[in-house]
Amino acid sequence: MWKDIFDGEALKNFLGPDGKTPFSVQPTGSMHLVLSLFVDWFNPYGNKKAGKSHSIGAIYIVCMNLPEHLRYRPENIYLVGVIPGPREPVLHQINHLL
């Protein structure tokens, strides 16, 4: 059973820059960070007032190397950008932002 992202096979088998050593093995003087990118949409007016007619997007990054109880605290979340509304962009538009 997985309890953390680092329990998954993808990260266990992911190789570092030399193509031989696992990414999780950190030589002296180096730091291998695992970052997660999120894109989330919300209605700035609340669901009742504007329904689904308005959306604003947030792009943010979380450092997965932090202990689980600290990862999602506001002071540890990096806001990369805000995607203005009033509607969500289509896929090719959002690809330019990312």
Side-chain angles (χ1 to χ4, degrees):
M1 182 163 102
W2 293 5
K3 292 187 177 187
D4 192 34
I5 191 170
F6 292 99
D7 296 334
E9 290 299 315
L11 281 179
K12 285 181 182 178
N13 297 326
F14 191 74
L15 298 177
D18 65 1
K20 298 174 186 171
T21 310
F23 184 78
S24 59
V25 175
Q26 299 186 27
T28 304
S30 70
M31 182 184 302
H32 296 171
L33 297 176
V34 177
L35 304 173
S36 236
L37 176 72
F38 297 91
V39 179
D40 200 6
W41 300 94
F42 63 94
N43 182 336
Y45 303 114
N47 286 334
K48 292 182 180 181
K49 198 170 192 180
K52 293 187 176 186
S53 63
H54 289 77
S55 283
I56 292 177
I59 305 169
Y60 54 98
I61 290 177
V62 172
C63 180
M64 303 307 284
N65 295 74
L66 291 172
E68 191 175 349
H69 69 281
L70 297 175
R71 284 181 196 160
Y72 300 103
R73 288 190 178 180
E75 61 268 24
N76 296 326
I77 297 175
Y78 176 68
L79 180 64
V80 176
V82 176
I83 304 168
R87 306 238 187 286
E88 296 176 15
V90 293
L91 181 60
H92 78 274
Q93 292 172 321
I94 205 165
N95 284 340
H96 291 288
L97 294 169
L98 297 176

